[in-house]
Amino acid sequence: MAKLSLKQKSWLVSAHIAFAALWTGAVLSMFLLSLRNTASDKGDALYALNSAINLLDDYIVIPAAIGSVLTATALCWGTNYGFTKFYWVITKWILTTGLVVFGTFWLFPWGNGAEQIASVEGLQAMTNPTYAFKAKGVLVGTLVQAICLLIIVGISVLKPWGRRAPGMPPQKNALG
C-alpha cells in the first residue's frame, strides 16, 4: 500500500480519535450505569439500567471499537508508524486486542445475561447469585476497560518508549 498523503493521514487520525473517544465515553457511561445499578430499588429501573448498558455496548462500543481497530490498521499500514517499528504502537495493539477479546467473550455475555435475568425477575434479580456475578462483572469489567482505554489515549499522546532497534542481520547457519 502506498503511503498516505498528509491530508489523508490527518483525516484518518481524526476518524481514529473520534472512534476512540466514542469507545471511551460509552464505556465510561456503561460503568456509571453499572454503578447506579447496584442501588436500584425498583424492578423496572433495574431492567432499564441493564438495557441501557447493552444498548451502549451494541450500538456505540462495538462499532467504535471496530472503527478504532480499522483506522489503526490503516494508519499502521499507510504511514511510517508500521505495526512493529515502535514499542508504543505494539503496546497499543496488545491492549486493544485484549479489550476486544475481553469485551467479546466476557463483558458482552455478562451484560446480556444480566439484562435477561432482570427482565424476568425484576428486583428479585438482586438476590440471584448469577445476576449478582454478571452485574459485578459488568461493573468491574467496564472500569477495567475505561482505565485501559485512558492508558491507550495517554500512550497515543505521549508516544513513550520510542522506536525499536533495527533487527540484527540474519545469521548464516553452519551449512550455508
Side-chain angles (χ1 to χ4, degrees):
M1 176 178 184
K3 296 293 180 200
L4 298 170
S5 71
L6 186 57
K7 188 172 186 172
Q8 290 171 323
K9 179 184 171 192
S10 294
W11 278 105
L12 199 53
V13 168
S14 296
H16 186 65
I17 290 169
F19 284 126
L22 280 169
W23 187 3
T24 304
V27 168
L28 284 168
S29 298
M30 289 170 64
F31 169 71
L32 291 174
L33 289 170
S34 296
L35 193 58
R36 176 64 179 94
N37 204 13
T38 61
S40 291
D41 58 355
K42 294 184 175 74
D44 290 343
L46 186 69
Y47 171 69
L49 289 166
N50 282 288
S51 181
I53 290 166
N54 283 330
L55 282 171
L56 286 168
D57 195 29
D58 292 347
Y59 294 101
I60 298 177
V61 171
I62 292 170
I66 291 168
S68 183
V69 169
L70 290 176
T71 55
T73 302
L75 283 166
C76 286
W77 199 357
T79 68
N80 290 329
Y81 293 141
F83 290 94
T84 59
K85 291 180 185 177
F86 296 91
Y87 288 112
W88 63 271
V89 173
I90 295 167
T91 303
K92 282 181 61 175
W93 275 113
I94 291 168
L95 286 171
T96 301
T97 301
L99 290 176
V100 169
V101 168
F102 176 69
T104 301
F105 294 106
W106 288 279
L107 194 53
F108 181 75
W110 289 336
N112 285 336
E115 181 184 9
Q116 289 170 350
I117 293 169
S119 73
V120 172
E121 297 183 13
L123 196 55
Q124 294 300 317
M126 296 293 263
T127 61
N128 181 328
T130 303
Y131 174 83
F133 174 81
K134 291 176 186 296
K136 179 77 86 171
V138 172
L139 177 67
V140 173
T142 54
L143 178 61
V144 169
Q145 283 226 330
I147 290 168
C148 287
L149 286 164
L150 292 172
I151 289 169
I152 290 170
V153 168
I155 291 169
S156 298
V157 172
L158 299 173
K159 295 178 177 49
W161 310 306
R163 189 177 186 92
R164 289 183 58 217
M168 298 290 290
Q171 300 273 331
K172 290 189 177 183
N173 63 24
L175 298 174

PDB file of all heavy atoms in Angstrom, residues 129-164:
ATOM      1  N   PRO A 129     -27.774 -15.125  42.645  1.00  0.00           N
ATOM      2  CA  PRO A 129     -26.309 -15.115  42.590  1.00  0.00           C
ATOM      3  C   PRO A 129     -25.751 -15.022  41.163  1.00  0.00           C
ATOM      4  O   PRO A 129     -24.697 -14.419  40.949  1.00  0.00           O
ATOM      5  CB  PRO A 129     -25.891 -16.428  43.251  1.00  0.00           C
ATOM      6  CG  PRO A 129     -27.125 -17.124  43.662  1.00  0.00           C
ATOM      7  CD  PRO A 129     -28.308 -16.312  43.280  1.00  0.00           C
ATOM      8  N   THR A 130     -26.443 -15.589  40.197  1.00  0.00           N
ATOM      9  CA  THR A 130     -25.984 -15.492  38.805  1.00  0.00           C
ATOM     10  C   THR A 130     -26.059 -14.045  38.330  1.00  0.00           C
ATOM     11  O   THR A 130     -25.122 -13.540  37.710  1.00  0.00           O
ATOM     12  CB  THR A 130     -26.826 -16.414  37.893  1.00  0.00           C
ATOM     13  OG1 THR A 130     -26.731 -17.746  38.382  1.00  0.00           O
ATOM     14  CG2 THR A 130     -26.340 -16.342  36.455  1.00  0.00           C
ATOM     15  N   TYR A 131     -27.164 -13.383  38.652  1.00  0.00           N
ATOM     16  CA  TYR A 131     -27.292 -11.974  38.294  1.00  0.00           C
ATOM     17  C   TYR A 131     -26.204 -11.158  38.987  1.00  0.00           C
ATOM     18  O   TYR A 131     -25.567 -10.301  38.360  1.00  0.00           O
ATOM     19  CB  TYR A 131     -28.672 -11.418  38.650  1.00  0.00           C
ATOM     20  CG  TYR A 131     -28.748  -9.935  38.403  1.00  0.00           C
ATOM     21  CD1 TYR A 131     -29.010  -9.455  37.124  1.00  0.00           C
ATOM     22  CD2 TYR A 131     -28.493  -9.015  39.424  1.00  0.00           C
ATOM     23  CE1 TYR A 131     -29.031  -8.088  36.870  1.00  0.00           C
ATOM     24  CE2 TYR A 131     -28.509  -7.652  39.174  1.00  0.00           C
ATOM     25  CZ  TYR A 131     -28.776  -7.195  37.900  1.00  0.00           C
ATOM     26  OH  TYR A 131     -28.773  -5.852  37.642  1.00  0.00           O
ATOM     27  N   ALA A 132     -26.006 -11.408  40.271  1.00  0.00           N
ATOM     28  CA  ALA A 132     -25.004 -10.652  41.037  1.00  0.00           C
ATOM     29  C   ALA A 132     -23.620 -10.809  40.407  1.00  0.00           C
ATOM     30  O   ALA A 132     -22.878  -9.825  40.270  1.00  0.00           O
ATOM     31  CB  ALA A 132     -24.984 -11.122  42.492  1.00  0.00           C
ATOM     32  N   PHE A 133     -23.280 -12.019  39.994  1.00  0.00           N
ATOM     33  CA  PHE A 133     -21.980 -12.264  39.353  1.00  0.00           C
ATOM     34  C   PHE A 133     -21.873 -11.493  38.046  1.00  0.00           C
ATOM     35  O   PHE A 133     -20.869 -10.821  37.791  1.00  0.00           O
ATOM     36  CB  PHE A 133     -21.783 -13.768  39.104  1.00  0.00           C
ATOM     37  CG  PHE A 133     -20.544 -14.083  38.333  1.00  0.00           C
ATOM     38  CD1 PHE A 133     -19.320 -14.142  38.963  1.00  0.00           C
ATOM     39  CD2 PHE A 133     -20.602 -14.308  36.963  1.00  0.00           C
ATOM     40  CE1 PHE A 133     -18.160 -14.418  38.259  1.00  0.00           C
ATOM     41  CE2 PHE A 133     -19.452 -14.579  36.240  1.00  0.00           C
ATOM     42  CZ  PHE A 133     -18.224 -14.644  36.891  1.00  0.00           C
ATOM     43  N   LYS A 134     -22.898 -11.579  37.212  1.00  0.00           N
ATOM     44  CA  LYS A 134     -22.866 -10.912  35.905  1.00  0.00           C
ATOM     45  C   LYS A 134     -22.852  -9.385  36.066  1.00  0.00           C
ATOM     46  O   LYS A 134     -22.090  -8.684  35.378  1.00  0.00           O
ATOM     47  CB  LYS A 134     -24.048 -11.351  35.049  1.00  0.00           C
ATOM     48  CG  LYS A 134     -23.951 -12.806  34.590  1.00  0.00           C
ATOM     49  CD  LYS A 134     -25.179 -13.243  33.833  1.00  0.00           C
ATOM     50  CE  LYS A 134     -25.164 -14.709  33.490  1.00  0.00           C
ATOM     51  NZ  LYS A 134     -24.115 -15.141  32.604  1.00  0.00           N
ATOM     52  N   ALA A 135     -23.677  -8.865  36.959  1.00  0.00           N
ATOM     53  CA  ALA A 135     -23.718  -7.414  37.177  1.00  0.00           C
ATOM     54  C   ALA A 135     -22.385  -6.907  37.724  1.00  0.00           C
ATOM     55  O   ALA A 135     -21.895  -5.851  37.316  1.00  0.00           O
ATOM     56  CB  ALA A 135     -24.865  -7.057  38.123  1.00  0.00           C
ATOM     57  N   LYS A 136     -21.784  -7.660  38.651  1.00  0.00           N
ATOM     58  CA  LYS A 136     -20.476  -7.275  39.195  1.00  0.00           C
ATOM     59  C   LYS A 136     -19.414  -7.373  38.101  1.00  0.00           C
ATOM     60  O   LYS A 136     -18.518  -6.528  38.025  1.00  0.00           O
ATOM     61  CB  LYS A 136     -20.109  -8.178  40.368  1.00  0.00           C
ATOM     62  CG  LYS A 136     -18.763  -7.885  40.982  1.00  0.00           C
ATOM     63  CD  LYS A 136     -18.801  -6.668  41.855  1.00  0.00           C
ATOM     64  CE  LYS A 136     -19.227  -7.087  43.207  1.00  0.00           C
ATOM     65  NZ  LYS A 136     -19.139  -6.118  44.241  1.00  0.00           N
ATOM     66  N   GLY A 137     -19.522  -8.367  37.228  1.00  0.00           N
ATOM     67  CA  GLY A 137     -18.598  -8.488  36.102  1.00  0.00           C
ATOM     68  C   GLY A 137     -18.666  -7.291  35.177  1.00  0.00           C
ATOM     69  O   GLY A 137     -17.644  -6.779  34.718  1.00  0.00           O
ATOM     70  N   VAL A 138     -19.889  -6.810  34.914  1.00  0.00           N
ATOM     71  CA  VAL A 138     -20.060  -5.625  34.067  1.00  0.00           C
ATOM     72  C   VAL A 138     -19.472  -4.394  34.770  1.00  0.00           C
ATOM     73  O   VAL A 138     -18.772  -3.596  34.147  1.00  0.00           O
ATOM     74  CB  VAL A 138     -21.547  -5.406  33.698  1.00  0.00           C
ATOM     75  CG1 VAL A 138     -21.744  -4.075  32.988  1.00  0.00           C
ATOM     76  CG2 VAL A 138     -22.043  -6.552  32.818  1.00  0.00           C
ATOM     77  N   LEU A 139     -19.730  -4.259  36.059  1.00  0.00           N
ATOM     78  CA  LEU A 139     -19.218  -3.116  36.813  1.00  0.00           C
ATOM     79  C   LEU A 139     -17.687  -3.090  36.805  1.00  0.00           C
ATOM     80  O   LEU A 139     -17.070  -2.094  36.412  1.00  0.00           O
ATOM     81  CB  LEU A 139     -19.738  -3.163  38.255  1.00  0.00           C
ATOM     82  CG  LEU A 139     -19.221  -2.073  39.184  1.00  0.00           C
ATOM     83  CD1 LEU A 139     -19.750  -0.708  38.767  1.00  0.00           C
ATOM     84  CD2 LEU A 139     -19.604  -2.383  40.621  1.00  0.00           C
ATOM     85  N   VAL A 140     -17.075  -4.185  37.193  1.00  0.00           N
ATOM     86  CA  VAL A 140     -15.608  -4.246  37.251  1.00  0.00           C
ATOM     87  C   VAL A 140     -15.017  -4.239  35.843  1.00  0.00           C
ATOM     88  O   VAL A 140     -14.019  -3.561  35.576  1.00  0.00           O
ATOM     89  CB  VAL A 140     -15.146  -5.489  38.051  1.00  0.00           C
ATOM     90  CG1 VAL A 140     -13.641  -5.662  37.990  1.00  0.00           C
ATOM     91  CG2 VAL A 140     -15.617  -5.392  39.499  1.00  0.00           C
ATOM     92  N   GLY A 141     -15.655  -4.956  34.932  1.00  0.00           N
ATOM     93  CA  GLY A 141     -15.158  -5.034  33.554  1.00  0.00           C
ATOM     94  C   GLY A 141     -15.154  -3.693  32.848  1.00  0.00           C
ATOM     95  O   GLY A 141     -14.204  -3.348  32.143  1.00  0.00           O
ATOM     96  N   THR A 142     -16.212  -2.900  33.036  1.00  0.00           N
ATOM     97  CA  THR A 142     -16.235  -1.590  32.394  1.00  0.00           C
ATOM     98  C   THR A 142     -15.221  -0.646  33.030  1.00  0.00           C
ATOM     99  O   THR A 142     -14.628   0.179  32.330  1.00  0.00           O
ATOM    100  CB  THR A 142     -17.641  -0.961  32.426  1.00  0.00           C
ATOM    101  OG1 THR A 142     -18.129  -0.930  33.772  1.00  0.00           O
ATOM    102  CG2 THR A 142     -18.606  -1.726  31.527  1.00  0.00           C
ATOM    103  N   LEU A 143     -14.997  -0.786  34.333  1.00  0.00           N
ATOM    104  CA  LEU A 143     -13.969   0.028  34.987  1.00  0.00           C
ATOM    105  C   LEU A 143     -12.587  -0.313  34.427  1.00  0.00           C
ATOM    106  O   LEU A 143     -11.810   0.583  34.080  1.00  0.00           O
ATOM    107  CB  LEU A 143     -13.997  -0.167  36.503  1.00  0.00           C
ATOM    108  CG  LEU A 143     -12.939   0.598  37.292  1.00  0.00           C
ATOM    109  CD1 LEU A 143     -13.084   2.100  37.092  1.00  0.00           C
ATOM    110  CD2 LEU A 143     -13.013   0.226  38.768  1.00  0.00           C
ATOM    111  N   VAL A 144     -12.293  -1.597  34.301  1.00  0.00           N
ATOM    112  CA  VAL A 144     -11.007  -2.032  33.732  1.00  0.00           C
ATOM    113  C   VAL A 144     -10.878  -1.538  32.294  1.00  0.00           C
ATOM    114  O   VAL A 144      -9.823  -1.029  31.895  1.00  0.00           O
ATOM    115  CB  VAL A 144     -10.858  -3.568  33.818  1.00  0.00           C
ATOM    116  CG1 VAL A 144      -9.677  -4.070  33.003  1.00  0.00           C
ATOM    117  CG2 VAL A 144     -10.741  -4.006  35.275  1.00  0.00           C
ATOM    118  N   GLN A 145     -11.937  -1.671  31.517  1.00  0.00           N
ATOM    119  CA  GLN A 145     -11.895  -1.204  30.131  1.00  0.00           C
ATOM    120  C   GLN A 145     -11.654   0.296  30.061  1.00  0.00           C
ATOM    121  O   GLN A 145     -10.847   0.759  29.257  1.00  0.00           O
ATOM    122  CB  GLN A 145     -13.193  -1.548  29.397  1.00  0.00           C
ATOM    123  CG  GLN A 145     -13.279  -2.992  28.988  1.00  0.00           C
ATOM    124  CD  GLN A 145     -13.746  -3.178  27.571  1.00  0.00           C
ATOM    125  OE1 GLN A 145     -14.491  -2.388  27.030  1.00  0.00           O
ATOM    126  NE2 GLN A 145     -13.291  -4.251  26.970  1.00  0.00           N
ATOM    127  N   ALA A 146     -12.340   1.062  30.901  1.00  0.00           N
ATOM    128  CA  ALA A 146     -12.174   2.521  30.896  1.00  0.00           C
ATOM    129  C   ALA A 146     -10.731   2.896  31.246  1.00  0.00           C
ATOM    130  O   ALA A 146     -10.134   3.755  30.581  1.00  0.00           O
ATOM    131  CB  ALA A 146     -13.152   3.169  31.872  1.00  0.00           C
ATOM    132  N   ILE A 147     -10.175   2.253  32.248  1.00  0.00           N
ATOM    133  CA  ILE A 147      -8.789   2.543  32.640  1.00  0.00           C
ATOM    134  C   ILE A 147      -7.835   2.202  31.496  1.00  0.00           C
ATOM    135  O   ILE A 147      -6.949   3.001  31.163  1.00  0.00           O
ATOM    136  CB  ILE A 147      -8.418   1.790  33.932  1.00  0.00           C
ATOM    137  CG1 ILE A 147      -9.185   2.395  35.124  1.00  0.00           C
ATOM    138  CG2 ILE A 147      -6.908   1.813  34.178  1.00  0.00           C
ATOM    139  CD1 ILE A 147      -9.126   1.563  36.386  1.00  0.00           C
ATOM    140  N   CYS A 148      -8.022   1.038  30.882  1.00  0.00           N
ATOM    141  CA  CYS A 148      -7.152   0.644  29.758  1.00  0.00           C
ATOM    142  C   CYS A 148      -7.292   1.606  28.583  1.00  0.00           C
ATOM    143  O   CYS A 148      -6.291   1.965  27.949  1.00  0.00           O
ATOM    144  CB  CYS A 148      -7.462  -0.787  29.320  1.00  0.00           C
ATOM    145  SG  CYS A 148      -6.886  -2.037  30.475  1.00  0.00           S
ATOM    146  N   LEU A 149      -8.509   2.026  28.285  1.00  0.00           N
ATOM    147  CA  LEU A 149      -8.706   2.968  27.183  1.00  0.00           C
ATOM    148  C   LEU A 149      -8.038   4.309  27.483  1.00  0.00           C
ATOM    149  O   LEU A 149      -7.437   4.920  26.592  1.00  0.00           O
ATOM    150  CB  LEU A 149     -10.195   3.156  26.891  1.00  0.00           C
ATOM    151  CG  LEU A 149     -10.848   1.969  26.169  1.00  0.00           C
ATOM    152  CD1 LEU A 149     -12.364   2.040  26.267  1.00  0.00           C
ATOM    153  CD2 LEU A 149     -10.394   1.891  24.725  1.00  0.00           C
ATOM    154  N   LEU A 150      -8.111   4.761  28.717  1.00  0.00           N
ATOM    155  CA  LEU A 150      -7.435   6.011  29.079  1.00  0.00           C
ATOM    156  C   LEU A 150      -5.915   5.856  29.005  1.00  0.00           C
ATOM    157  O   LEU A 150      -5.210   6.785  28.583  1.00  0.00           O
ATOM    158  CB  LEU A 150      -7.880   6.471  30.470  1.00  0.00           C
ATOM    159  CG  LEU A 150      -9.344   6.929  30.545  1.00  0.00           C
ATOM    160  CD1 LEU A 150      -9.749   7.179  31.994  1.00  0.00           C
ATOM    161  CD2 LEU A 150      -9.600   8.144  29.678  1.00  0.00           C
ATOM    162  N   ILE A 151      -5.407   4.697  29.358  1.00  0.00           N
ATOM    163  CA  ILE A 151      -3.971   4.423  29.203  1.00  0.00           C
ATOM    164  C   ILE A 151      -3.587   4.449  27.726  1.00  0.00           C
ATOM    165  O   ILE A 151      -2.564   5.024  27.347  1.00  0.00           O
ATOM    166  CB  ILE A 151      -3.594   3.076  29.865  1.00  0.00           C
ATOM    167  CG1 ILE A 151      -3.674   3.209  31.390  1.00  0.00           C
ATOM    168  CG2 ILE A 151      -2.207   2.602  29.424  1.00  0.00           C
ATOM    169  CD1 ILE A 151      -3.574   1.896  32.146  1.00  0.00           C
ATOM    170  N   ILE A 152      -4.415   3.853  26.884  1.00  0.00           N
ATOM    171  CA  ILE A 152      -4.155   3.854  25.438  1.00  0.00           C
ATOM    172  C   ILE A 152      -4.134   5.284  24.907  1.00  0.00           C
ATOM    173  O   ILE A 152      -3.277   5.634  24.086  1.00  0.00           O
ATOM    174  CB  ILE A 152      -5.190   2.979  24.691  1.00  0.00           C
ATOM    175  CG1 ILE A 152      -4.948   1.498  25.008  1.00  0.00           C
ATOM    176  CG2 ILE A 152      -5.140   3.222  23.188  1.00  0.00           C
ATOM    177  CD1 ILE A 152      -6.046   0.568  24.522  1.00  0.00           C
ATOM    178  N   VAL A 153      -5.066   6.111  25.361  1.00  0.00           N
ATOM    179  CA  VAL A 153      -5.076   7.519  24.942  1.00  0.00           C
ATOM    180  C   VAL A 153      -3.777   8.196  25.371  1.00  0.00           C
ATOM    181  O   VAL A 153      -3.145   8.921  24.584  1.00  0.00           O
ATOM    182  CB  VAL A 153      -6.315   8.262  25.509  1.00  0.00           C
ATOM    183  CG1 VAL A 153      -6.182   9.761  25.326  1.00  0.00           C
ATOM    184  CG2 VAL A 153      -7.583   7.745  24.847  1.00  0.00           C
ATOM    185  N   GLY A 154      -3.359   7.959  26.606  1.00  0.00           N
ATOM    186  CA  GLY A 154      -2.097   8.528  27.087  1.00  0.00           C
ATOM    187  C   GLY A 154      -0.910   8.079  26.254  1.00  0.00           C
ATOM    188  O   GLY A 154      -0.046   8.891  25.895  1.00  0.00           O
ATOM    189  N   ILE A 155      -0.879   6.810  25.917  1.00  0.00           N
ATOM    190  CA  ILE A 155       0.203   6.284  25.069  1.00  0.00           C
ATOM    191  C   ILE A 155       0.171   6.962  23.702  1.00  0.00           C
ATOM    192  O   ILE A 155       1.219   7.308  23.150  1.00  0.00           O
ATOM    193  CB  ILE A 155       0.090   4.749  24.943  1.00  0.00           C
ATOM    194  CG1 ILE A 155       0.424   4.082  26.283  1.00  0.00           C
ATOM    195  CG2 ILE A 155       1.002   4.213  23.835  1.00  0.00           C
ATOM    196  CD1 ILE A 155       0.093   2.596  26.339  1.00  0.00           C
ATOM    197  N   SER A 156      -1.026   7.168  23.167  1.00  0.00           N
ATOM    198  CA  SER A 156      -1.153   7.811  21.854  1.00  0.00           C
ATOM    199  C   SER A 156      -0.600   9.226  21.858  1.00  0.00           C
ATOM    200  O   SER A 156       0.006   9.669  20.883  1.00  0.00           O
ATOM    201  CB  SER A 156      -2.623   7.869  21.437  1.00  0.00           C
ATOM    202  OG  SER A 156      -3.148   6.585  21.312  1.00  0.00           O
ATOM    203  N   VAL A 157      -0.829   9.938  22.947  1.00  0.00           N
ATOM    204  CA  VAL A 157      -0.377  11.323  23.036  1.00  0.00           C
ATOM    205  C   VAL A 157       1.120  11.398  23.348  1.00  0.00           C
ATOM    206  O   VAL A 157       1.869  12.137  22.701  1.00  0.00           O
ATOM    207  CB  VAL A 157      -1.188  12.088  24.110  1.00  0.00           C
ATOM    208  CG1 VAL A 157      -0.607  13.468  24.364  1.00  0.00           C
ATOM    209  CG2 VAL A 157      -2.649  12.184  23.688  1.00  0.00           C
ATOM    210  N   LEU A 158       1.567  10.610  24.325  1.00  0.00           N
ATOM    211  CA  LEU A 158       2.958  10.694  24.785  1.00  0.00           C
ATOM    212  C   LEU A 158       3.950   9.937  23.902  1.00  0.00           C
ATOM    213  O   LEU A 158       5.131  10.288  23.859  1.00  0.00           O
ATOM    214  CB  LEU A 158       3.058  10.177  26.229  1.00  0.00           C
ATOM    215  CG  LEU A 158       2.228  10.947  27.257  1.00  0.00           C
ATOM    216  CD1 LEU A 158       2.276  10.235  28.602  1.00  0.00           C
ATOM    217  CD2 LEU A 158       2.707  12.380  27.367  1.00  0.00           C
ATOM    218  N   LYS A 159       3.480   8.875  23.253  1.00  0.00           N
ATOM    219  CA  LYS A 159       4.324   8.022  22.406  1.00  0.00           C
ATOM    220  C   LYS A 159       5.636   7.653  23.118  1.00  0.00           C
ATOM    221  O   LYS A 159       6.728   7.905  22.624  1.00  0.00           O
ATOM    222  CB  LYS A 159       4.602   8.700  21.069  1.00  0.00           C
ATOM    223  CG  LYS A 159       3.350   8.897  20.239  1.00  0.00           C
ATOM    224  CD  LYS A 159       3.640   9.604  18.943  1.00  0.00           C
ATOM    225  CE  LYS A 159       2.456   9.746  18.063  1.00  0.00           C
ATOM    226  NZ  LYS A 159       1.225  10.249  18.619  1.00  0.00           N
ATOM    227  N   PRO A 160       5.504   7.029  24.294  1.00  0.00           N
ATOM    228  CA  PRO A 160       6.711   6.672  25.054  1.00  0.00           C
ATOM    229  C   PRO A 160       7.435   5.474  24.431  1.00  0.00           C
ATOM    230  O   PRO A 160       6.927   4.831  23.520  1.00  0.00           O
ATOM    231  CB  PRO A 160       6.155   6.304  26.427  1.00  0.00           C
ATOM    232  CG  PRO A 160       4.781   5.796  26.144  1.00  0.00           C
ATOM    233  CD  PRO A 160       4.288   6.601  24.955  1.00  0.00           C
ATOM    234  N   TRP A 161       8.605   5.210  24.963  1.00  0.00           N
ATOM    235  CA  TRP A 161       9.389   4.019  24.640  1.00  0.00           C
ATOM    236  C   TRP A 161      10.067   4.063  23.287  1.00  0.00           C
ATOM    237  O   TRP A 161      10.913   3.245  23.007  1.00  0.00           O
ATOM    238  CB  TRP A 161       8.569   2.731  24.764  1.00  0.00           C
ATOM    239  CG  TRP A 161       7.839   2.648  26.057  1.00  0.00           C
ATOM    240  CD1 TRP A 161       8.376   2.757  27.305  1.00  0.00           C
ATOM    241  CD2 TRP A 161       6.448   2.486  26.239  1.00  0.00           C
ATOM    242  NE1 TRP A 161       7.390   2.668  28.254  1.00  0.00           N
ATOM    243  CE2 TRP A 161       6.189   2.498  27.617  1.00  0.00           C
ATOM    244  CE3 TRP A 161       5.381   2.329  25.372  1.00  0.00           C
ATOM    245  CZ2 TRP A 161       4.925   2.349  28.152  1.00  0.00           C
ATOM    246  CZ3 TRP A 161       4.124   2.185  25.904  1.00  0.00           C
ATOM    247  CH2 TRP A 161       3.907   2.199  27.271  1.00  0.00           C
ATOM    248  N   GLY A 162       9.710   4.948  22.414  1.00  0.00           N
ATOM    249  CA  GLY A 162      10.452   5.154  21.177  1.00  0.00           C
ATOM    250  C   GLY A 162      10.414   4.020  20.182  1.00  0.00           C
ATOM    251  O   GLY A 162       9.601   3.120  20.229  1.00  0.00           O
ATOM    252  N   ARG A 163      11.373   4.107  19.286  1.00  0.00           N
ATOM    253  CA  ARG A 163      11.478   3.185  18.162  1.00  0.00           C
ATOM    254  C   ARG A 163      12.246   1.940  18.586  1.00  0.00           C
ATOM    255  O   ARG A 163      13.179   2.007  19.368  1.00  0.00           O
ATOM    256  CB  ARG A 163      12.204   3.904  17.018  1.00  0.00           C
ATOM    257  CG  ARG A 163      12.203   3.175  15.720  1.00  0.00           C
ATOM    258  CD  ARG A 163      12.903   4.033  14.645  1.00  0.00           C
ATOM    259  NE  ARG A 163      12.803   3.414  13.362  1.00  0.00           N
ATOM    260  CZ  ARG A 163      11.847   3.649  12.478  1.00  0.00           C
ATOM    261  NH1 ARG A 163      10.927   4.537  12.753  1.00  0.00           N
ATOM    262  NH2 ARG A 163      11.813   3.039  11.329  1.00  0.00           N
ATOM    263  N   ARG A 164      11.845   0.803  18.047  1.00  0.00           N
ATOM    264  CA  ARG A 164      12.575  -0.437  18.294  1.00  0.00           C
ATOM    265  C   ARG A 164      13.901  -0.389  17.559  1.00  0.00           C
ATOM    266  O   ARG A 164      14.019   0.204  16.492  1.00  0.00           O
ATOM    267  CB  ARG A 164      11.767  -1.642  17.794  1.00  0.00           C
ATOM    268  CG  ARG A 164      10.562  -1.916  18.644  1.00  0.00           C
ATOM    269  CD  ARG A 164       9.802  -3.141  18.204  1.00  0.00           C
ATOM    270  NE  ARG A 164      10.638  -4.318  18.225  1.00  0.00           N
ATOM    271  CZ  ARG A 164      10.574  -5.304  17.320  1.00  0.00           C
ATOM    272  NH1 ARG A 164       9.705  -5.251  16.346  1.00  0.00           N
ATOM    273  NH2 ARG A 164      11.363  -6.340  17.406  1.00  0.00           N
TER     274      ARG A 164
END
